[in-house]
Amino acid sequence: MKSIYKFLAFTLLAVFTSCSSDDDATAGLMGENKVTLEFDNSVGSDDLLLATAGYTNSQNETLTITRLNYIVSNFSLTNDAGEVFTYDKEESYFVTSEETGSTEVVLEHIPAGTYVSVTFGIGVDQEKYLQGAEGQGDFLTIAEETNMMWSWQAGYKFLNYEGTFTSETVTEPTDFKVHMGSHGSSLDNYKEVTLSLGTDALVSDEMSPIIHIVADANDILDGENKLALTEQSVIMVSEEKSPKVALNTASMFTVDHVHNGTGDSH
């Protein structure tokens, strides 16, 4: 009988110690800090290498990619209690560019907490665009400098994806261009994405996590919607294909891992 009591006491102690350890990891999170999102572009299981590698899709087209730029915006983080922290909208527009190496988004002044998911937009929402050129702030200049504008009247390019391709019937390298954006209220291609982090992102005055997000460029044309460059190598303002590109692009993001590290508070 004593052995049973000893076993129960040991079990309760082990459970209590385990819970205490878990609580210690997240208890007492105070202050604020930055959260960094690293966008790691790939093609399937391979790293994306601009202009140096060929990638074959399910339609037997081989692509050499020379540009992959996209706009990410309107970030929010949800904590383990279901509370949502929405990042300042005026500061929430970024261009990630593989060709310039600008694939990092830094969100400043995030309140301490245990965050379990991140939400962001692909492109620029209508509310922001309808503020007019004067209401875009510095982001308008950034978009122009990174080839993410057609013109102010035509609007932003949410995605700028370019390169060359060959196929069974197109034997010489041929240019392709996939530019996707919204074109008036009748063709709104702005999409929102919510990603579970898998591992909690811990923020405090001493902890500044890095969230590594993989963007699979293969999904842009070879995702749920299959779009053959052999049939149409330039996709821009298309009532049929632009919405399909938008849906594919919104599905290309996954969280690979979260690094909870120490960092200076901001």
Side-chain angles (χ1 to χ4, degrees):
M1 194 69 173
K2 289 182 179 179
S3 61
I4 294 176
Y5 289 144
K6 288 181 179 179
F7 174 77
L8 290 173
F10 175 80
T11 302
L12 290 171
L13 179 62
V15 170
F16 177 77
T17 301
S18 175
C19 292
S20 297
S21 298
D22 292 342
D23 291 341
D24 290 343
T26 59
L29 296 178
M30 299 178 63
E32 62 178 31
N33 216 318
K34 64 184 179 182
V35 172
T36 302
L37 298 103
E38 292 274 8
F39 286 86
D40 183 10
N41 297 313
S42 70
V43 183
S45 59
D46 299 319
D47 286 339
L48 172 57
L49 301 175
L50 291 181
T52 60
Y55 304 97
T56 302
N57 62 25
S58 68
Q59 301 173 85
N60 206 27
E61 297 173 330
T62 300
L63 283 63
T64 299
I65 301 163
T66 57
R67 172 174 289 160
L68 177 60
N69 297 352
Y70 47 88
I71 295 173
V72 287
S73 61
N74 295 319
F75 285 84
S76 64
L77 294 160
T78 302
N79 67 18
D80 55 352
E83 300 165 335
V84 178
F85 171 76
T86 301
Y87 198 63
D88 180 8
K89 185 174 178 63
E90 296 306 310
E91 303 295 328
S92 199
Y93 297 85
F94 304 86
V95 174
T96 70
S97 172
E98 184 69 24
E99 62 184 330
T100 66
S102 300
T103 57
E104 181 180 276
V105 170
V106 179
L107 306 179
E108 304 279 0
H109 306 295
I110 305 300
T114 302
Y115 293 97
V116 299
S117 70
V118 59
T119 298
F120 57 91
I122 311 300
V124 177
D125 54 287
Q126 289 284 308
E127 180 185 354
K128 180 67 171 177
Y129 179 69
L130 291 174
Q131 291 178 3
E134 297 78 12
Q136 307 305 302
D138 294 339
F139 185 70
L140 182 59
T141 301
I142 293 169
E144 290 173 337
E145 291 175 347
T146 52
N147 297 292
M148 299 306 284
M149 292 287 296
W150 280 294
S151 66
W152 174 245
Q153 294 300 323
Y156 290 100
K157 300 174 188 177
F158 299 173
L159 169 74
N160 188 335
Y161 183 48
E162 298 181 356
T164 62
F165 79 101
T166 59
S167 68
E168 292 179 353
T169 57
V170 181
T171 56
E172 292 296 322
T174 300
D175 290 343
F176 75 84
K177 293 184 179 181
V178 180
H179 298 173
M180 182 272 295
S182 292
H183 312 288
S185 58
S186 62
L187 192 59
D188 185 2
N189 288 316
Y190 174 80
K191 301 295 179 187
E192 242 184 24
V193 178
T194 297
L195 302 176
S196 172
L197 300 184
T199 300
D200 295 345
L202 307 180
V203 178
S204 73
D205 53 5
E206 296 181 348
M207 301 192 74
S208 174
I210 302 173
I211 301 170
H212 292 262
I213 297 175
V214 173
D216 184 357
N218 188 60
D219 283 349
I220 295 170
L221 297 171
D222 202 19
E224 179 181 350
N225 298 295
K226 306 296 181 183
L227 301 170
L229 292 171
T230 303
E231 296 176 1
Q232 184 175 344
S233 60
V234 177
I235 302 173
M236 292 189 186
V237 183
S238 170
E239 291 187 4
E240 176 194 359
K241 293 190 175 181
S242 292
K244 293 179 179 179
V245 172
L247 288 170
N248 282 356
T249 302
S251 68
M252 75 177 182
F253 299 97
T254 56
V255 174
D256 185 71
H257 65 280
V258 175
H259 176 68
N260 284 305
T262 57
D264 294 333
S265 60
H266 292 268

